[in-house]
Amino acid sequence: MIDLRSTPRHRRSVTALLLVSLALAGGCKEVPGTPGASGPSGDTGIGSSGPEAPTDTAPADPSVTPSAPGTSATPPTPSTPGKPASPSTGTVPPTASGGWITIDAAAQAAATKAFFARKPKPVTGNPVKVPEFNVGCKTSHHNSDDPIVLPKLVGGSHNHTFWGNRSTDANSTAESLRASKATTCNSPDDQSAYWVPTMYQNGKVVDPTEVTVYYGSRLKDPSRTQPFPFGLRMITGNAKNQVDTPDKQGNHFWCAGIGGEIGRSADKTFPVCAKTANIVRQITFPDCWDGKHLDSPDHKAHMANGDHTGACPKSHPVPVPSVSFVISYPLSANTDGITLASGTSFSMHADFFNAWKDEALAARVRNCLDQGVKCNSAGNF
């Protein structure tokens, strides 16, 4: 079992012409230097720590800010007497400027105040002392869309494998995800969309046998972690990266299970696993938010990793759950001919579009992460 708190905290890190050029390039526009992964607690049998290269600094503070501030909104009111409200999605739309999507500051401040006014559920039993909960998911569908990087550009991306919300396509918005209740994850409260580039072996699609999405904290003090705002989106990884890092420690698949790795593929980019093991890839998103934006021009600058002290940097002061995909593929001894829709194994990247039901996410964050204990997919100890 790997304790999220004890793993390294630092890992590696708009015109129609631009959209057309991205579409011709056939893939997601992503920036190198994405933070890497730290492992979940691992009681699923596939929770090994991802071998990504450490980084020395967190992403820099955004150099530009939106010109249009958000408008104010009435603070949410509790739905039940005596019970603080969960963070509200609000009715005031966010303000977009130059790729930055600005939240309503007054509404967010009210939601944050209401969240920390919640009384956590008393811990019962003897749960593992790791700030974490998860959802288990199956593949939903495939398409060549990316509603974060190439919104409304149908077929403009390389092919993606989606899980979670079944409706995800190029035209997806936070509202459309919330309206679609069908999900391939084991919590009906999670209507979020998750995706990665599709894997092929000799041109044939290889779908994951299972995906576990962990929500945790890698910060020294997880007790101030708060939920993502509704509609927050982010990416991690670099679709344009086609080669290994100089230290050979970046963006790797590995073998999980009895016997582990027993060799390498012919091109040396994939492990050969024992027949009792599967190829696994873990991808982890940063867990510090700037508190102002649902998205940024590169879909990364509004997020950051904790700094060297184990706390969020001043540029991104809000602790939010660290999302981590652990993806298990049904491949073992025969791993020749594997590619990703984005290219080599080193181009692996991931997207997250939050559409959790507010109350369900707030309860899990307050009860599990803030109290530093492990919960199951239902949010129970």
Side-chain angles (χ1 to χ4, degrees):
M1 178 177 64
I2 300 174
D3 190 330
L4 282 170
R5 298 168 298 177
S6 63
T7 53
R9 301 182 176 91
H10 298 284
R11 305 278 183 137
R12 102 181 166 300
S13 331
V14 195
T15 65
L17 288 177
L18 178 57
L19 290 178
V20 172
S21 65
L22 285 168
L24 292 176
C28 298
K29 167 181 168 286
E30 291 167 345
V31 180
T34 303
S38 64
S41 62
D43 60 355
T44 64
I46 57 174
S48 302
S49 177
E52 294 190 2
T55 181
D56 291 325
T57 58
D61 193 24
S63 59
V64 295
T65 56
S67 57
T71 55
S72 62
T74 302
T77 56
S79 56
T80 304
K83 180 180 179 181
S86 58
S88 171
T89 60
T91 58
V92 180
T95 302
S97 177
W100 295 92
I101 300 179
T102 307
I103 63 166
D104 180 85
Q108 181 60 33
T112 298
K113 182 178 180 180
F115 172 75
F116 285 112
R118 296 176 67 103
K119 185 177 180 180
K121 183 170 67 175
V123 176
T124 58
N126 187 28
V128 176
K129 303 299 183 182
V130 174
E132 177 186 291
F133 63 92
N134 67 74
V135 291
C137 308
K138 298 290 186 182
T139 299
S140 171
H141 60 285
H142 310 85
N143 61 43
S144 296
D145 295 349
D146 191 324
I148 294 179
V149 178
L150 299 172
K152 302 186 182 304
L153 191 61
V154 177
S157 176
H158 51 249
N159 197 263
H160 286 111
T161 296
F162 294 84
W163 60 87
N165 199 301
R166 289 185 179 273
S167 71
T168 313
D169 60 21
N171 295 306
S172 292
T173 62
E175 290 74 21
S176 73
L177 294 175
R178 178 63 63 81
S180 174
K181 300 184 183 305
T183 178
T184 62
C185 297
N186 62 0
S187 174
D189 294 321
D190 182 12
Q191 296 164 258
S192 303
Y194 311 93
W195 63 97
V196 296
T198 297
M199 177 183 282
Y200 300 95
Q201 186 172 34
N202 299 318
K204 183 179 179 180
V205 171
V206 179
D207 277 333
T209 52
E210 63 178 328
V211 180
T212 304
V213 180
Y214 289 91
Y215 289 81
S217 176
R218 297 170 294 159
L219 302 176
K220 185 175 181 180
D221 176 13
S223 67
R224 300 304 294 173
T225 304
Q226 65 185 66
F228 310 107
F230 173 61
L232 183 135
R233 63 215 73 174
M234 56 181 164
I235 62 176
T236 188
N238 180 11
K240 305 303 182 185
N241 185 35
Q242 301 296 321
V243 298
D244 201 353
T245 55
D247 61 5
K248 307 299 181 184
Q249 297 299 308
N251 210 0
H252 289 173
F253 289 76
W254 73 97
C255 299
I258 298 172
E261 181 177 330
I262 59 175
R264 302 296 296 178
S265 61
D267 63 6
K268 308 300 182 185
T269 60
F270 277 90
V272 173
C273 306
K275 292 183 178 181
T276 49
N278 286 336
I279 284 184
V280 169
R281 181 67 174 89
Q282 183 174 348
I283 310 172
T284 300
F285 294 80
D287 49 3
C288 296
W289 174 47
D290 69 4
K292 302 174 182 178
H293 304 100
L294 296 177
D295 203 357
S296 51
D298 65 354
H299 317 292
K300 297 181 177 181
H302 59 306
M303 305 298 299
N305 267 339
D307 62 22
H308 67 282
T309 69
C312 285
K314 292 181 179 179
S315 59
H316 297 74
V318 182
V320 292
S322 173
V323 182
S324 182
F325 301 167
V326 178
I327 313 167
S328 179
Y329 293 92
L331 299 171
S332 54
N334 179 15
T335 56
D336 289 338
I338 300 176
T339 58
L340 299 177
S342 51
T344 70
S345 64
F346 308 113
S347 68
M348 185 53 122
H349 55 284
D351 299 61
F352 167 65
F353 202 140
N354 176 47
W356 272 88
K357 292 180 180 177
D358 299 320
E359 172 61 27
L361 180 60
R364 286 164 169 81
V365 174
R366 194 69 172 133
N367 296 336
C368 310
L369 304 192
D370 287 0
Q371 297 192 101
V373 296
K374 180 178 176 64
C375 294
N376 59 23
S377 296
N380 297 321
F381 303 125

